[in-house]
Amino acid sequence: MKFTLVYMTALSALITAAPLSPPPPELPRLVLYHQTTHTNNSHPISILPLISNPRIALSHLIVAAFHVNPNGTIHLNDHPPSHPHYDTLWQETRALQSAGVKVLGIVGGAARGSFTKHTFDSTRTCTFEKAYALLHNTVTTYDLDGLDLDVEEPMSLRGIIRLVRRLRTDFGPDFLITLAPVATALVRTNTQAVERCRRGARGREGANLSGFSYFFLNHDVGQHISFYNVQFYNGFGTVSCSADSNTNTSNTFDEIVDAGWDPRKIVIGQLTSPGNGGCGFVEHEELRKAVGVMRKSTMGRPAGTVGRAQLRPEDLVRIQTLSRDARMGPTQIHKITGYSIYQVKYALKKKTPTVGKRTGRPRKKGASPGEGKEVGTRDGKDGAGAGEAEPHEGMAEVGDESREAEGTGRAIEGEATVAMELEQQRD
């Protein structure tokens, strides 16, 4: 299982009745997987506190887990969905939907069998249709708002694409289709692999439990997939802050975004307690800081600059100019521009025909080599001393007039942009 809702009995005892919360917006999302539907004494665990407490902004509840069996049956955990065991569950999911919460069902998970050649991955149409009919009937009977496809066994790309397209065709554009990969399945081992993938070649990917490439799946049917519930634990991904928790994170999320994924479609899956689901639990305060840093570094980027390979030429010029003319380090550039640290480092290594490496401040047009030192003179200091001044002091003259770098052209707009940014900081 990916995520499970635990300690609900204790939670319900602490929460008193309150007015229902208004329907949450599309972003941000708070998604909970609900599998432990009963106590050890077989008493139903209520999920109503999730909507009666105004401090909980739940957006999606995923009922876990449905298993489509080769013998022509479907089970919700240990019983058929229609079993009286789940009467309370289905009554309360309708209450959640009335409060604006989307209710989905998860198919698959750690228990294998739903995505084999005997069910949804069969090459025989009759076998696929038999399994699909069970799932279709469950969705319509319990009025589910969507399905989460948790493929944790080998499945063909053809098979998962067929299932996604069929669900979209039968249930329409408002039906939610999500998948639940491990975080490493959305990571490329290097930038060249990402670029090869964009050209249609299979590049190297991280650990993957599903058998098929999520890069190719997203390329073919990504428009039909609402978002990805990604597992960032059990050794498949990390979410944590670095020593400087206000600027940097050390996590797999940045690598996923750098691989070209839209951050708005990535839900960070975390364990709900250190004793639930294995290893990789992140304390709530650390998770809060990390999510805040990640939102700042990804959501504010200009269009088309999500991943390293998507940096436009003007983005490269901007980053390189800030580094070589304003003498800024990667962290400073990250704070000013919103590009990720990975993007900044990539841009600084990238060769462009516009901005060449310079060892010092550019000299004025027409100045002789011997006069270059006077250009950097300020308050009786020579060029070497001026080079040690604060970045905004050195940039005061960058936009004054057109110059040529030593042997290379210079984008004047890039200079003006840098000067404006630094002048704003100075103010």
Side-chain angles (χ1 to χ4, degrees):
M1 258 316 300
K2 294 289 178 184
F3 321 83
T4 51
L5 188 59
V6 297
Y7 301 134
M8 282 302 302
T9 304
L11 180 64
S12 61
L14 295 173
I15 298 175
T16 58
L20 298 182
S21 303
E26 176 62 19
L27 287 174
R29 305 182 186 96
L30 176 60
V31 183
L32 283 178
Y33 281 74
H34 179 50
Q35 184 171 24
T36 309
T37 60
H38 290 72
T39 66
N40 293 334
N41 296 325
S42 297
H43 295 301
I45 298 176
S46 177
I47 55 177
L48 294 181
L50 293 171
I51 57 174
S52 64
N53 185 349
R55 297 177 61 187
I56 301 177
L58 184 68
S59 61
H60 300 76
L61 180 82
I62 302 181
V63 177
F66 291 100
H67 305 289
V68 178
N69 306 309
N71 62 2
T73 62
I74 185 170
H75 279 74
L76 174 56
N77 298 324
D78 299 327
H79 308 282
S82 58
H83 194 281
H85 188 72
Y86 300 118
D87 287 349
T88 300
L89 171 67
W90 297 129
Q91 292 174 6
E92 294 188 349
T93 55
R94 287 191 289 271
L96 263 67
Q97 289 173 317
S98 298
V101 177
K102 299 295 185 182
V103 176
L104 296 80
I106 181 176
V107 183
R112 299 190 170 197
S114 297
F115 301 103
T116 70
K117 63 181 181 181
H118 303 295
T119 50
F120 290 121
D121 202 26
S122 176
T123 56
R124 300 178 60 187
T125 302
C126 61
T127 302
F128 172 83
E129 292 295 338
K130 182 180 178 180
Y132 182 78
L134 294 169
L135 191 59
H136 186 283
N137 181 64
T138 300
V139 171
T140 55
T141 300
Y142 302 102
D143 197 24
L144 298 178
D145 296 304
L147 287 174
D148 183 55
L149 308 178
D150 185 4
V151 185
E152 297 192 26
E153 56 189 322
M155 186 182 189
S156 67
L157 181 64
R158 173 196 56 79
I160 190 64
I161 288 177
R162 174 178 59 179
L163 180 56
V164 169
R165 285 176 173 168
R166 183 64 178 274
L167 289 170
R168 179 60 67 222
T169 298
D170 288 355
F171 293 106
D174 295 330
F175 188 76
L176 297 175
I177 302 174
T178 65
L179 281 94
V182 294
T184 49
L186 306 186
V187 172
R188 290 288 184 179
T189 56
N190 52 62
T191 304
Q192 289 73 26
V194 178
E195 294 172 346
R196 286 199 300 270
C197 179
R198 297 184 189 282
R199 297 194 299 267
R202 181 180 292 276
R204 295 173 58 196
E205 301 170 10
N208 187 347
L209 301 180
S210 305
F212 55 83
S213 167
Y214 280 91
F215 287 85
F216 282 93
L217 174 68
N218 194 66
H219 178 271
D220 291 342
V221 293
Q223 71 275 20
H224 298 316
I225 298 173
S226 305
F227 52 87
Y228 295 87
N229 297 304
V230 185
Q231 176 178 324
F232 282 82
Y233 54 91
N234 283 352
F236 293 109
T238 59
V239 177
S240 60
C241 284
S242 65
D244 184 0
S245 59
N246 293 321
T247 58
N248 297 318
T249 53
S250 175
N251 57 69
T252 315
F253 181 83
D254 286 338
E255 297 178 41
I256 291 174
V257 174
D258 282 338
W261 293 90
D262 185 346
R264 295 168 297 182
K265 296 184 73 171
I266 304 299
V267 176
I268 300 173
Q270 287 289 286
L271 298 175
T272 51
S273 78
N276 177 48
C279 61
F281 174 75
V282 179
E283 294 292 341
H284 295 164
E285 181 61 22
E286 183 178 5
L287 179 61
R288 183 190 66 79
K289 291 181 180 179
V291 170
V293 173
M294 286 185 284
R295 290 187 64 184
K296 180 180 178 181
S297 65
T298 58
M299 296 302 182
R301 296 181 192 172
T305 60
V306 173
R308 291 184 254 195
Q310 294 176 308
L311 286 173
R312 299 165 297 182
E314 53 265 38
D315 298 317
L316 297 175
V317 171
R318 185 185 188 196
I319 293 173
Q320 293 179 7
T321 303
L322 286 171
S323 173
R324 295 169 185 172
D325 286 345
R327 311 282 179 85
M328 290 188 178
T331 300
Q332 290 178 291
I333 297 174
H334 160 68
K335 289 181 179 180
I336 290 177
T337 64
Y339 300 118
S340 73
I341 292 294
Y342 297 96
Q343 285 180 305
V344 173
K345 291 181 179 180
Y346 169 79
L348 295 180
K349 295 178 181 179
K350 188 75 173 178
K351 293 182 179 180
T352 69
T354 307
V355 181
K357 290 187 176 181
R358 295 184 282 277
T359 56
R361 293 175 56 201
R363 58 180 180 269
K364 291 183 179 180
K365 186 176 181 179
S368 64
E371 298 173 5
K373 198 169 183 179
E374 295 181 1
V375 176
T377 302
R378 183 187 302 274
D379 297 333
K381 298 179 181 179
D382 60 14
E388 298 172 359
E390 292 295 323
H392 67 266
E393 295 179 357
M395 286 305 300
E397 299 177 0
V398 172
D400 289 344
E401 63 183 54
S402 174
R403 305 184 181 98
E404 290 184 359
E406 299 168 353
T408 62
R410 166 90 59 95
I412 302 303
E413 307 139 322
E415 294 180 315
T417 300
V418 174
M420 291 175 61
E421 290 176 344
L422 293 175
E423 192 63 30
Q424 289 173 357
Q425 288 189 5
R426 185 179 184 182
D427 294 339

